[in-house]
Amino acid sequence: MITHYGPEVQAWLDAAPGLLEQAAERWELSLSGYHDAGHASVIALATSSDGRPLLLKAWADPVRYRHEISALQLWAGGPTADMVEVANDLGVAALELVGGCPGGADRPAREMQMVAVALHGLHTLGRRRNRPTGFPLLADHLRTEMLPRIEQRIRTVRLGVWRPLFDAANPSLADLKEDAGRTTVLHADLYRENVPFDWMGLPRLLDPLPMVGDAVFDWAFWTVYYDLGHGTDRRLATAARISRIPVPVLAPWCRALAVDGLLFYIESRDPRAQRMSEVLSSLSPSIPRRDS
């Protein structure tokens, strides 16, 4: 979290155990220890007075807290974790512990298809229900964050043997046109660890970074990042079938996200760079395709 927010977050980290303890006392929960600490929150395991297993989550960033809570409230009753309690003054929420344990229950054989159906359901709720105001916009994310950092890294990162990949994929950046008819509330952080399964074998989508924009972004993110380097082509086909967004529309968004990720991995010397380069190659028609 210090790497993500800077040294100024240390004061909040020092206070976080006390915030969780206050929330547990207020809601009559028994804390049983920390689960993990990500780059934006601290999570503890807890049990309610009637024995229900829960997660207590404390956010370092009040804005991120408000957005995530608002998204979970919007999606209530859908394929997300139930929100049991909220303490706005503490920036802490009690959430259902999906599957009764960290990581959820066992994943079914039809995991990919079931997650795709759940994501489609999430997008449907985001379109049909009245959205709270204040969510970030995908258009702003593209214009002020993602595209500028791609351009900056293209100029400054040593691309080496990967240069042809970027030359082939770069035209996709000009093809990122949103369709207003697909506008919804996006999850925007669809890594596999954010999609545990419950006791009934159903996926629950957790830890969103909600934005409002074209659903194509979520489908592209899921295609590229859900299980990096494994099943990319099958996810792309599944995304097109379930979302009814044609592959030629999805593909430029997939390539743009893969370009962004590969540049970051190269710059940070992350070993996932090779895997991402293979994903990008499989998504780039002018590069010989390899199974990903």
Side-chain angles (χ1 to χ4, degrees):
M1 290 186 71
I2 291 174
T3 300
H4 182 72
Y5 286 114
E8 58 270 21
V9 79
Q10 185 63 58
W12 181 87
L13 285 171
D14 293 339
L19 297 175
L20 293 169
E21 289 169 4
Q22 286 183 65
E25 182 178 358
R26 181 181 302 179
W27 299 325
E28 299 181 350
L29 307 178
S30 299
L31 288 175
S32 56
Y34 292 102
H35 169 45
D36 70 9
H39 70 273
S41 63
V42 173
I43 296 174
L45 301 175
T47 307
S48 67
S49 57
D50 62 0
R52 184 182 184 184
L54 301 172
L55 284 179
L56 279 191
K57 185 172 182 178
W59 286 258
D61 181 354
V63 174
R64 185 160 178 165
Y65 163 79
R66 290 196 301 272
H67 290 163
E68 186 166 336
I69 293 300
S70 294
L72 293 176
Q73 289 172 335
L74 175 70
W75 295 326
T80 57
D82 292 339
M83 193 162 52
V84 180
E85 301 281 2
V86 176
N88 292 331
D89 58 323
L90 303 176
V92 177
L95 305 170
E96 169 193 14
L97 180 56
V98 175
C101 63
D106 292 340
R107 295 174 181 271
R110 298 184 68 251
E111 174 184 357
M112 185 182 299
Q113 293 81 358
M114 296 180 73
V115 174
V117 170
L119 179 57
H120 182 66
L122 204 74
H123 290 161
T124 300
L125 290 176
R127 280 191 291 269
R128 291 181 177 174
R129 294 179 176 175
N130 292 328
R131 291 193 296 268
T133 59
F135 283 134
L137 300 179
L138 172 61
D140 291 340
H141 171 71
L142 295 174
R143 179 176 55 84
T144 66
E145 295 182 43
M146 182 175 148
L147 295 179
R149 75 177 171 233
I150 288 175
E151 293 173 4
Q152 190 271 334
R153 284 172 172 156
I154 286 284
R155 292 194 302 268
T156 60
V157 173
R158 297 183 59 149
L159 302 179
V161 296
W162 287 310
R163 170 66 69 178
L165 265 180
F166 291 104
D167 291 342
N170 269 351
S172 290
L173 302 180
D175 295 333
L176 304 184
K177 303 292 191 297
E178 291 193 66
D179 184 332
R182 295 191 296 257
T183 298
T184 188
V185 177
L186 306 172
H187 183 285
D189 207 29
L190 289 161
Y191 296 100
R192 196 169 187 239
E193 58 264 29
N194 289 342
V195 189
F197 280 74
D198 63 19
W199 284 307
M200 298 179 65
L202 299 175
R204 307 287 197 91
L205 282 63
L206 311 180
D207 298 335
L209 286 172
M211 296 187 289
V212 172
D214 191 333
V216 71
F217 180 88
D218 265 354
W219 290 109
F221 194 108
W222 180 68
T223 297
V224 172
Y225 282 102
Y226 183 77
D227 190 7
L228 183 62
H230 302 283
T232 309
D233 291 342
R234 287 186 290 117
R235 276 195 304 281
L236 179 59
T238 301
R241 185 175 71 254
I242 300 299
S243 71
R244 298 185 180 180
I245 302 173
V247 168
V249 176
L250 280 164
W253 291 83
C254 293
R255 288 192 289 269
L257 285 165
V259 164
D260 189 33
L262 180 54
L263 285 166
F264 171 72
Y265 292 154
I266 295 172
E267 183 180 60
S268 59
R269 299 187 179 182
D270 190 304
R272 288 174 292 182
Q274 181 59 41
R275 203 180 312 166
M276 183 62 88
S277 73
E278 293 166 2
V279 169
L280 182 55
S281 177
S282 77
L283 292 166
S284 301
S286 60
I287 298 292
R289 292 175 61 83
R290 284 177 283 180
D291 184 19
S292 59

